[in-house]
Amino acid sequence: MSINVLYLAHDLADAAIRRRVLTLKAGGADVTVAGFTRGRNLLEGEPGVRTIVLGETSDGKFAQRIGAIVKASAGLKSRLAGIDRPDVVIARNLETLALAGQAARLFDRNLPIVYECLDIHRLLLDEGWKGRLVRAFQRHFGRRAQLLITSSPAFVENFFQPRSGLSLPVLLLENKVLALDPDSLPLQPTPRAPKAGEPWRIGWFGAIRCAKSLAILTDFARRMDGKVEIVLRGRPAYSEFADFDRIVADAPHVTFHGSYQNPEDLARIYDEVQFNWAIDFFEEGLNSEWLLPNRLYEGGLYGAVPVALKSTETGRFLAHRQIGVTVDKATPEALEALFSQMTPEIYAEQFARITSVERGQWITGPADCRALVAKLASLKPDLRSPAEMQAASTMQS
């Protein structure tokens, strides 16, 4: 099924954006991406994908991002001139949702709009005037949406249903590994217990944005004195750390190996570790409690045993499947107690459990890509008048 998708991206340097665009392409869609940059555009040079840069934004600078949205809005008509008429507009995150209605009107004001939200920003959960304002902003711009795409049922249960003011059908798309040729994946990961005298290795891969996790892991590695090594790979959110590079350089038994390509490098990097750090305190008590992170699925596919907090959605995901290692509290002391008792036999049992999970739990395959595009193609034009949409927004609030 072929449809034209206009994908509005909040961050062209985000590997998850690239993964979604490749998913849409594999499902039969023609995709044009218009978005903001916060680093290298990972879609630059991607065959068959046109990318349009709307401006530059910065991590952790909400006011700057609002300014970038306003500026992009003023120039949106010229930026999108000449692209094919889309059949659907997808807005990734709240900042691009603000542009979605305007983008649709440039072609046909009735075009269906999809709101894709895979993280709940702390401001959306704030109980003060700022939070009320941001939720009103989301409610106003979300009144044109026909579908919500999100990645964790806990986001729906804890925010979208009770607090967002949006009333939208939900499509749950977990952060699974994109596998366009599932037959090319390794038939079965192999156990990789360390040789005598070598450390256990815990990988923390992907979006590295949690200062508390870094503090816990560096302290823990110091306590273990060479019995455990922490391996970091991915894209640090430098705005969240006092001095990420210095902290890592000064920490014994902690190494950072930079960025990697997803999904192309996943088998290699996960094969180098036994355990997978699946704990996050970036939005502690809120988003961090509810998310199901990319690394959960990546490590699951390649046999890295996840380490998670029992009280979180990730912990419940693991408990339901009887896999992984969970702790009541993520402290250096708790991790030290856990890994001081770790043996090749315990690891082998945990490895066997995770590799026994059916592969479809971890991957998005070609059939899933086609199903997503078919769902988007089934959306009907929005024939409500502006007054009717405003009334719906008021009722939802």
Side-chain angles (χ1 to χ4, degrees):
M1 179 175 298
S2 179
I3 63 170
N4 285 328
V5 175
L6 174 58
Y7 193 98
L8 302 178
H10 72 297
D11 181 5
L12 293 169
D14 186 345
I17 296 290
R18 178 175 180 262
R19 184 176 69 236
R20 181 67 78 232
V21 171
L22 295 181
T23 299
L24 292 166
K25 281 187 59 187
D30 295 316
V31 187
T32 299
V33 184
F36 299 93
T37 60
R38 297 185 198 173
R40 184 171 67 90
N41 178 2
L42 296 184
L43 286 167
E44 188 173 3
E46 189 69 45
V49 178
R50 179 178 178 181
T51 59
I52 300 166
V53 176
L54 299 178
E56 186 174 345
T57 57
S58 301
D59 278 329
K61 296 183 179 179
F62 199 68
Q64 187 273 336
R65 286 155 67 179
I66 292 175
I69 294 166
V70 173
K71 186 175 180 180
S73 177
L76 196 62
K77 184 175 181 179
S78 62
R79 295 289 177 89
L80 298 184
I83 73 169
D84 292 336
R85 177 192 179 279
D87 299 298
V88 62
V89 177
I90 302 177
R92 175 68 169 259
N93 281 18
L94 181 54
E95 55 212 85
T96 62
L97 183 64
L99 300 173
Q102 180 184 354
R105 287 193 299 274
L106 294 173
F107 303 94
D108 180 346
R109 74 173 186 85
N110 299 322
L111 284 181
I113 291 173
V114 175
Y115 179 28
E116 182 176 29
C117 183
L118 309 188
D119 276 306
I120 311 299
H121 193 279
R122 65 174 73 96
L123 280 176
L124 282 166
L125 301 163
D126 185 272
E127 294 298 340
W129 68 267
K130 291 181 181 179
R132 292 193 296 272
L133 181 63
V134 175
R135 287 192 293 275
F137 180 93
Q138 178 183 248
R139 192 166 58 246
H140 173 75
F141 289 106
R143 72 194 190 282
R144 278 278 281 108
Q146 293 190 31
L147 181 69
L148 170 69
I149 294 177
T150 194
S151 57
S152 170
F155 289 156
V156 180
E157 296 161 8
N158 292 285
F159 174 70
F160 284 111
Q161 285 182 347
R163 302 181 66 183
S164 72
L166 297 175
S167 180
L168 297 172
V170 176
L171 177 62
L172 184 68
L173 291 182
E174 295 172 77
N175 291 311
K176 296 181 180 182
V177 177
L178 181 61
L180 298 182
D181 183 10
D183 292 337
S184 69
L185 294 172
L187 292 178
Q188 186 77 358
T190 55
R192 41 198 181 260
K195 298 176 182 177
E198 292 185 351
W200 296 105
R201 290 186 173 88
I202 302 174
W204 181 17
F205 302 154
I208 300 174
R209 60 184 185 177
C210 178
K212 185 172 179 178
S213 283
L214 185 60
I216 291 168
L217 289 170
T218 53
D219 188 356
F220 163 56
R222 186 177 294 107
R223 289 166 179 261
M224 295 301 292
D225 193 26
K227 297 182 180 65
V228 171
E229 180 182 347
I230 309 300
V231 182
L232 310 180
R233 293 181 184 273
R235 185 179 168 212
Y238 283 98
S239 62
E240 300 300 324
F241 301 93
D243 188 341
F244 176 83
D245 293 327
R246 180 191 57 78
I247 293 169
V248 172
D250 291 348
H253 316 297
V254 177
T255 58
F256 174 56
H257 297 278
S259 62
Y260 57 91
Q261 195 165 15
N262 185 339
E264 290 85 348
D265 293 336
L266 294 180
R268 174 181 61 82
I269 66 174
Y270 278 98
D271 193 52
E272 295 174 356
V273 300
Q274 292 87 30
F275 294 90
N276 177 23
W277 184 252
I279 295 174
D280 184 280
F281 297 101
F282 179 63
E283 304 279 7
E284 189 171 359
L286 302 170
N287 188 73
S288 292
E289 299 287 322
W290 307 331
L291 58 75
L292 293 172
N294 296 310
R295 60 181 65 95
L296 172 64
Y297 302 89
E298 296 166 2
L301 178 62
Y302 292 108
V305 178
V307 180
L309 277 173
K310 286 182 182 178
S311 60
T312 64
E313 186 69 11
T314 300
R316 289 185 285 274
F317 177 100
L318 298 178
H320 179 69
R321 293 159 182 79
Q322 298 183 318
I323 56 176
V325 175
T326 57
V327 293
D328 293 313
K329 293 184 178 180
T331 63
E333 295 83 0
L335 294 172
E336 183 181 15
L338 176 66
F339 277 87
S340 292
Q341 303 298 317
M342 187 59 61
T343 64
E345 292 74 23
I346 294 173
Y347 162 71
E349 180 185 353
Q350 292 293 340
F351 179 87
R353 285 176 178 272
I354 197 163
T355 54
S356 70
V357 175
E358 197 273 321
R359 182 172 286 184
Q361 176 63 78
W362 310 122
I363 67 170
T364 294
D368 303 301
C369 300
R370 292 191 293 271
L372 171 59
V373 172
K375 177 65 177 179
L376 297 175
S378 73
L379 299 176
K380 305 300 182 184
D382 189 339
L383 301 178
R384 294 176 297 170
S385 68
E388 289 172 325
M389 285 189 287
Q390 185 60 48
S393 176
T394 302
M395 289 177 62
Q396 289 169 7
S397 65

